[in-house]
Amino acid sequence: MSQRKPIDVYLKPAGGWDALKSSWHALREQQVVMKGAGTLLRTNQPSGFDCPGCAWPDRNAHSTFEFCENGVKAVANEATGKRVTRDFFAAHTVAELLAWDDHALEAQGRLTEPMRYDAARDRYVPIAWDAAFATIANALNALASPDEAIFYTSGRTSNEAAFLYQLFVREFGTNNLPDCSNMCHEPSGVALTEQLGSGKGSVLLDDFEHAQAIFIFGQNPGTNHPRMLGELREAAKRGCRIVAFNPLRERGLERFADPKSPLDMRPGGAGARIASAYFQPRIGGDLAVAMAMAKVVVERDAIDHEFIAAHTRGYDLFADSLRALEWPDLERESGLTHNELEQAAQLYIDSAATIVCWGMGITQHHRSVATIQMLANLLLLRGNVGKPGAGPCPVRGHSNVQGDRTMGIYEKPSDAFLDRLGVEFDFAPPRAHGFDTLDAIAAMRDGRGQVFFALGGNFATATPDTALTQAALRNCALTVHVSTKLNRSHLVHGRDALILPCLGRTEIDLQAGGPQAVTVEDSMSMVHLSAGMNPPASEQLLSEPAIVARLAAATLPRSRTPWLELVADYDRIRERIARVIDGFEDFNARVRTAGGFHLHHPNRERAFPTHDGRAHFLTHPLLGATAWDQDLLTLMTVRSHDQYNTTVYGLDDRYRGVHGLRRVCFISRADLQRFGFADGEQVDLVSVWRDGAGVQEREARGFRLVEYDIPAGCLAAYFPETNPLVPLDSYAERARTPASKSIPVRLRRSAVAPA
Ligand SMILES: Nc1nc2c(c(=O)[nH]1)N[C@H]1C(S)=C(S)[C@@H](COP(=O)(O)OP(=O)(O)OC[C@H]3O[C@@H](n4cnc5c(=O)[nH]c(N)nc54)[C@H](O)[C@@H]3O)O[C@H]1N2
Ligand SMILES: Nc1nc2c(c(=O)[nH]1)N[C@H]1C(S)=C(S)[C@@H](COP(=O)(O)OP(=O)(O)OC[C@H]3O[C@@H](n4cnc5c(=O)[nH]c(N)nc54)[C@H](O)[C@@H]3O)O[C@H]1N2
Ligand SMILES: [Mo]
């Protein structure tokens, strides 16, 4: 391994033996080889646990174990044999731990008991659970207003925990419920709700069997949703066209060797081709791509007249706006040639049933809402909504991020939802909208946020503008993290601070009423049970629902909700969910049927619950994106193959040919020449942000330039090392998702050696 060059080119298909080897390595490194195999066989099985990896659905019908390298890494990381004990905290001051990198923190293993920060010794020391809950209750009840408390959620939390949590927060008196969705698929929800009446994607796995074309925008499934490659491979095999749009040529979108296929796995096997067409637009060029394709469809009259007449509004205005577009503008904005754009449109026109998938390459831009609406316009033009093999497919990230929203983790709840919650639990929910993630950071900075409580996640590292965010967290009176693993958010703390360790998905959850299962909702609105089978990492761990219930009982002595009774048997929580949230009628019985159940999605029947009951063509101007300053480059921050968001598993990014380092910056040959840099040279990244107050610069130091097949003007580097570069005020219009994939930067020769 040590002989290996840090940068090479990966010529094999994605998947294959390397994926098996890497999984084996992950299990060995986490010391779970013996029990790991058994654990993995129960991943995404009807009687097992939901993989904590991603939100891609599983094929229960086929019920054989579906191998997924990065699913194995996620499970191995949770089922790890390593432990963080009180001795560990006694041995290291917080100041000392702050100097460790994220990989080293993560590698310590599972947290084992509740800890409280001791300022005199700059160390975390053990605290009993009851004392921990009393500490938080006192801090919350001492606030001048409930709106001074902030309750963050990361998308691994189960439906049951999420439902109790939002109830607790609203009974306490605030809607300050920011979540990781704010940084992720928020623009998809905003865009689709306005346009189609539902913020969720409407396709199901079955649709992947009927699509004639699948368009994939700004998503890297080979790394982030590896099980999706199995679906794409099957689709490609039966002749479905897979069309990829990505500034980078991602290996997993090109070729895939399925570890289940003997043919793919034979020596030297080239695997199966995935994308039959691969376009490399410039970063942020997708709005122009979608407009150009729509223009061709309209001008050739390749539209579904019947569908448009029966179900939509706004076609004429939209068509006129497309006809007025000029090709040179479309070419410049998209970064593709007229010819390429025509070719993409032709592929779309040739298909009678099309799915459009997208990920963070679409959502984390200033104009992401407009871009998603343009993709949906494109689907509407040819009636590709509510028919087999067709529809919008935003591919969600965290395994239950969609379910958490369904359960009410939302800072802008509807009145209808609050009404039902208030009736069911006999209280008056607060009506004022709460803080999203960016509001929360600003509130803590300004002293308007005093208590920060996180149900999972790694807020200090995942959020933008790292220096500002971390100073904001330090400005709090109390920070609390419910976590499975040690991370930087525990070290960037308020004056008082607690770490509350919880059970993970793979573990047996024993309550007064016996062993419990939780439920989750995947990216395609399938709701199913998840029950762990490993003994807990420590006897002191509590489940997330139990932590929320005991905290609520301690904080709200006058609450009429029977918190401890509900948490003794999660069926009781589900009974309440069934009474409050549409689509969960008879929840306990339906979720026990094999594979769970599908939440009704109106778009599937071509019903569009917008204000007028129709789907809307929405017009957006082409220009007006972030100024394309000639001297600045646009940086996108992406995931490597060896990380789960802020959790760094290892230092390789196999498919992109990177080994043993993370501080790399991918750059085109044209830009190396233009700016006079050499491949391999060290640079600092300096982001340049103009606002009313003038020009602000932020920097991240010591990156190695790697010449790469990426359009001129575009750069790529890994998240979260680059988060210090994202200004708090740089976000998606209307959705306020940090624009972490369109950061204007310049490069500066660096004196810092790459780590
Ligand atoms: N193993 C693993 N699995 C994960 C995660 C993980 O970190 N590790 N994270 C989970 C989470 S929370 C999420 S949200 C998902 C994220 O999954 P993805 O959406 O795949 O996330 P990213 O790695 O950020 O990659 C986005 C892709 O978009 C491309 N891109 C960037 N900008 C543009 C653009 O302007 N236009 C186009 N067309 N493409 C662009 C990038 O080159 C990259 O291929 O994965 C989930 N699953
Ligand atoms: N620059 C840049 N920034 C980004 C992104 C990007 O592409 N670029 N992506 C954004 C996206 S899409 C997202 S979703 C966010 C992610 O933001 P977060 O969800 O806040 O971050 P994660 O890294 O997923 O959180 C990891 C931590 O969750 C805890 N954890 C793991 N499993 C469990 C569990 O079962 N229960 C509990 N209670 N805790 C658990 C562990 O302690 C672990 O350290 O980051 C966003 N930030
Ligand atoms: Mo995400």
Side-chain angles (χ1 to χ4, degrees):
M1 280 308 254
S2 57
Q3 297 304 325
R4 178 171 231 162
K5 284 201 293 210
I7 309 293
D8 61 18
V9 178
Y10 195 75
L11 296 169
K12 292 181 255 182
W17 287 105
D18 284 351
L20 289 179
K21 273 190 260 172
S22 150
S23 324
W24 182 250
H25 178 73
L27 289 169
R28 207 179 39 202
E29 196 178 48
Q30 296 301 330
Q31 302 161 7
V32 282
V33 179
M34 294 322 289
K35 69 180 183 195
T39 304
L40 289 167
L41 285 168
R42 291 194 195 82
T43 313
N44 288 355
Q45 294 301 301
S47 58
F49 62 91
D50 180 63
C51 178
C54 71
W56 187 257
D58 48 286
R59 289 217 170 248
N60 280 317
H62 300 200
S63 199
T64 46
F65 167 60
E66 226 182 313
F67 169 80
C68 167
E69 175 194 351
N70 281 347
V72 172
K73 287 186 205 159
V75 171
N77 247 262
E78 187 181 297
T80 177
K82 301 180 190 175
R83 299 288 178 268
V84 179
T85 61
R86 57 171 71 186
D87 296 340
F88 172 86
F89 286 111
H92 304 285
T93 62
V94 168
E96 187 190 335
L97 292 175
L98 271 170
W100 294 19
D101 66 23
D102 294 326
H103 182 41
L105 295 174
E106 161 69 26
Q108 300 312 308
R110 289 287 298 277
L111 296 162
T112 50
E113 61 179 317
M115 306 295 291
R116 182 181 190 180
Y117 182 65
D118 175 354
R121 297 171 55 209
D122 188 35
R123 281 176 175 80
Y124 275 98
V125 298
I127 181 173
W129 277 108
D130 279 333
F133 293 130
T135 305
I136 305 167
N138 287 340
L140 288 173
N141 287 325
L143 293 173
S145 151
D147 291 329
E148 288 181 355
I150 293 160
F151 298 89
Y152 177 71
T153 314
S154 168
R156 257 189 209 180
T157 296
S158 65
N159 287 335
E160 290 72 13
F163 183 78
L164 288 188
Y165 186 55
Q166 60 82 31
L167 174 64
F168 159 60
V169 169
R170 294 191 165 114
E171 284 197 28
F172 175 65
T174 181
N175 285 310
N176 285 345
L177 283 158
D179 70 346
C180 67
S181 209
N182 295 146
M183 299 184 272
C184 187
H185 265 293
E186 192 76 59
S188 307
V190 170
L192 297 179
T193 302
E194 179 182 43
Q195 197 166 12
L196 306 177
S198 166
K200 298 178 184 179
S202 60
V203 306
L204 293 176
L205 275 187
D206 279 353
D207 292 307
F208 278 71
E209 293 173 12
H210 298 108
Q212 292 184 9
I214 301 170
F215 282 65
I216 303 175
F217 286 88
Q219 200 212 332
N220 182 21
T223 287
N224 298 318
H225 304 89
R227 285 176 299 122
M228 180 176 172
L229 291 189
E231 300 298 330
L232 295 177
R233 179 180 182 277
E234 290 307 307
K237 258 176 42 188
R238 61 169 179 79
C240 170
R241 298 300 193 88
I242 315 265
V243 186
F245 295 84
N246 200 308
L248 301 180
R249 293 197 75 90
E250 304 285 23
R251 200 74 274 250
L253 288 167
E254 296 185 311
R255 301 202 79 85
F256 172 54
D258 189 341
K260 286 201 305 280
S261 153
L263 200 65
D264 284 6
M265 295 300 274
R266 85 211 129 129
R273 183 159 92 157
I274 300 295
S276 47
Y278 205 120
F279 299 100
Q280 289 176 272
R282 75 163 176 86
I283 294 173
D286 306 86
L287 176 61
V289 171
M291 286 170 113
M293 289 173 63
K295 177 179 171 72
V296 176
V297 172
V298 166
E299 289 180 353
R300 296 209 196 140
D301 197 26
I303 60 174
D304 183 337
H305 291 275
E306 241 170 85
F307 174 83
I308 291 174
H311 300 290
T312 72
R313 200 144 273 167
Y315 173 76
D316 291 335
L317 209 65
F318 177 59
D320 288 345
S321 76
L322 295 174
R323 291 195 189 92
L325 292 169
E326 308 274 359
W327 281 104
D329 294 335
L330 291 166
E331 289 189 304
R332 188 190 61 248
E333 291 300 309
S334 67
L336 298 179
T337 63
H338 186 170
N339 194 14
E340 288 171 309
L341 293 164
E342 291 264 359
Q343 210 184 316
Q346 190 61 52
L347 284 163
Y348 180 54
I349 292 170
D350 288 343
S351 157
T354 304
I355 293 173
V356 173
C357 301
W358 67 90
M360 297 300 101
I362 293 300
T363 64
Q364 296 175 337
H365 292 289
H366 298 110
R367 302 198 65 208
S368 53
V369 172
T371 305
I372 294 161
Q373 293 188 329
M374 205 52 67
L375 294 175
N377 284 334
L378 199 54
L379 286 169
L380 291 175
L381 282 176
R382 293 181 47 76
N384 277 313
V385 182
K387 76 176 178 196
C393 182
V395 182
R396 311 265 165 190
H398 269 298
S399 50
N400 197 39
V401 63
Q402 186 161 318
D404 291 345
R405 266 296 160 87
T406 308
M407 291 298 118
I409 303 291
Y410 189 30
E411 72 280 359
K412 301 185 197 72
S414 70
D415 279 328
F417 171 79
L418 294 178
D419 290 345
R420 291 173 72 167
L421 194 68
V423 167
E424 176 65 25
F425 294 95
D426 198 10
F427 77 111
R431 297 283 161 167
H433 287 174
F435 298 151
D436 62 17
T437 293
L438 298 184
D439 293 323
I441 296 168
M444 290 187 276
R445 175 195 61 194
D446 301 342
R448 288 176 290 123
Q450 283 293 319
V451 173
F452 177 82
F453 185 100
L455 191 57
N458 188 1
F459 194 87
T461 307
T463 45
D465 225 337
T466 311
L468 187 157
T469 298
Q470 298 196 350
L473 284 164
R474 291 185 193 285
N475 209 17
C476 287
L478 171 67
T479 49
V480 185
H481 287 89
V482 179
S483 312
T484 50
K485 308 285 287 281
L486 185 65
N487 67 42
R488 193 159 304 277
S489 296
H490 305 135
L491 311 176
V492 180
H493 55 75
R495 290 187 290 286
D496 198 354
L498 291 157
I499 304 173
L500 307 180
C502 66
L503 292 173
R505 290 267 174 87
T506 54
E507 290 162 329
I508 298 165
D509 180 352
L510 195 61
Q511 302 297 332
Q516 303 296 318
V518 294
T519 62
V520 292
E521 175 186 340
D522 66 32
S523 199
M524 296 182 182
S525 306
M526 295 296 303
V527 180
H528 57 90
L529 282 171
S530 170
M533 81 297 297
N534 286 344
S538 141
E539 282 178 2
Q540 294 222 44
L541 302 184
L542 293 183
S543 75
E544 292 182 353
I547 290 174
V548 173
R550 287 177 61 177
L551 174 60
T555 309
L556 307 169
R558 281 192 298 277
S559 169
R560 282 182 280 265
T561 302
W563 294 101
L564 303 180
E565 231 171 83
L566 286 177
V567 89
D569 179 349
Y570 297 175
D571 275 3
R572 295 176 192 155
I573 307 175
R574 287 186 283 269
E575 278 164 24
R576 299 301 193 104
I577 293 172
R579 291 214 282 267
V580 175
I581 300 174
D582 282 333
F584 286 84
E585 301 75 23
D586 211 8
F587 190 5
N588 277 311
R590 281 159 76 217
V591 83
R592 284 185 168 85
T593 56
F597 63 94
H598 180 240
L599 282 175
H600 172 248
H601 196 302
N603 293 174
R604 289 188 68 78
E605 282 105 52
R606 298 195 156 171
F608 300 100
T610 56
H611 65 93
D612 57 3
R614 290 188 162 240
H616 288 250
F617 284 102
L618 296 172
T619 303
H620 294 286
L622 174 60
L623 301 172
T626 5
W628 189 239
D629 185 324
Q630 285 306 310
D631 295 326
L632 295 179
L633 297 155
T634 303
L635 170 72
M636 56 180 178
T637 59
V638 298
R639 292 156 170 80
S640 83
H641 195 63
D642 257 3
Q643 71 182 89
Y644 192 93
N645 297 340
T646 66
T647 301
V648 178
Y649 300 140
L651 304 179
D652 295 346
D653 191 8
R654 193 168 74 236
Y655 299 150
R656 299 196 187 106
V658 176
H659 306 280
L661 65 170
R662 284 183 54 87
R663 294 185 87 84
V664 294
C665 177
F666 301 103
I667 183 170
S668 68
R669 176 176 302 176
D671 285 324
L672 281 175
Q673 284 170 356
R674 181 173 154 214
F675 294 101
F677 289 110
D679 185 18
E681 203 169 332
Q682 283 149 233
V683 295
D684 298 333
L685 306 177
V686 182
S687 71
V688 181
W689 183 247
R690 295 187 180 82
D691 65 10
V695 177
Q696 305 165 20
E697 294 202 339
R698 292 170 174 78
E699 57 178 39
R701 294 196 163 176
F703 286 75
R704 175 188 171 126
L705 288 176
V706 174
E707 184 186 320
Y708 212 75
D709 180 2
I710 185 173
C714 301
L715 300 172
Y718 301 128
F719 135 69
E721 286 82 350
T722 42
N723 287 42
L725 299 171
V726 187
L728 194 64
D729 295 329
S730 173
Y731 51 75
E733 287 164 14
R734 298 181 59 206
R736 293 171 49 80
T737 296
S740 45
K741 290 202 179 17
S742 42
I743 313 173
V745 299
R746 62 185 171 79
L747 304 175
R748 181 177 70 199
R749 270 199 178 79
S750 171
V752 181

